[in-house]
Amino acid sequence: DVKVTQSSRYLVKRTGEKVFLECVQDMDHENMFWYRQDPGLGLRLIYFSYDVKMKEKGDIPEGYSVSREKKERFSLILESASTNQTSMYLCASLGLGFTDTQYFGPGTRLTVL
Amino acid sequence: GEDVEQSLFLSVREGDSSVINCTYTDSSSTYLYWYKQEPGAGLQLLTYIFSNMDMKQDQRLTVLLNKKDKHLSLRIADTQTGDSAIYFCAEFSGGADGLTFGKGTHLIIQP
């Protein structure tokens, strides 16, 4: 079974803090994604990566950066957290091949005070 | 860009069938998916259908695809309280940016 794990289920940070959200997948997938989920807005893609050290902006990259130093790990960084970044953050991975699909981690609920 | 639309809420009585509908715009979609998200949890893949299929059945779940109208539906037979969740429709056309998701349909079960 594919496993996508995220470093924290719940996180509380203060405005201005630097925040790291870690995601690890164990299926050797090439593609990894970070989404945020907010009521009424569905899933919005922040960044994705299709290979080590490669990254692409999604729909809402402002205020975020990412790091993919190893294939299995994709980190989302909030350089200076703000209250409007309070949200549920979901990581996903996707392999290559016709029967593959995106597998999601359990999510990190981040609250910025 | 591609778009996936679905209703935000659906309310059904326990024991009835639920039908969640979804429309999409990308005619090059290869796979279409249904994900389930229970409160406080991540997204769990429920089922998927390849674009050259019309129907797929898996126990209480039936997926219908009308490729001409770009319409996908998920039918849950004998809906139970454990089916209460948000259901996301998604399509994949092979792009590096992954799946395109709808905003999710909240399925509310009334006793």
Side-chain angles (χ1 to χ4, degrees), chain A residues 9-10 31 33 35 37 40-43 45 48 50 88 90 94 97-107 109, chain B residues 8 30-31 33 35 37 40-45 48 50 86 88 92 95-104 106:
Chain A
R9 291 300 307 275
Y10 300 94
N31 305 284
F33 309 83
Y35 296 87
Q37 183 183 19
L41 297 176
L43 290 170
L45 182 63
F48 64 98
Y50 53 88
M88 169 73 102
L90 292 162
L94 171 70
F98 287 114
T99 57
D100 265 339
T101 188
Q102 264 176 242
Y103 296 91
F104 282 83
R109 183 160 293 284
Chain B
L8 284 184
T30 312
Y31 280 92
Y33 304 87
Y35 284 83
Q37 184 183 34
L43 272 68
Q44 170 199 356
L45 178 67
Y48 67 91
F50 191 46
I86 304 174
F88 289 89
F92 181 57
D97 58 347
L99 277 60
T100 301
F101 287 85
K103 287 188 168 53
H106 291 244

Side-chain angles (χ1 to χ4, degrees), chain B residues 11-18 78-82 108-111:
Chain B
S11 180
V12 297
R13 291 200 183 277
E14 192 175 357
D16 286 352
S17 291
S18 306
D78 186 26
T79 309
Q80 302 297 310
T81 54
I108 301 163
I109 316 298
Q110 295 180 350

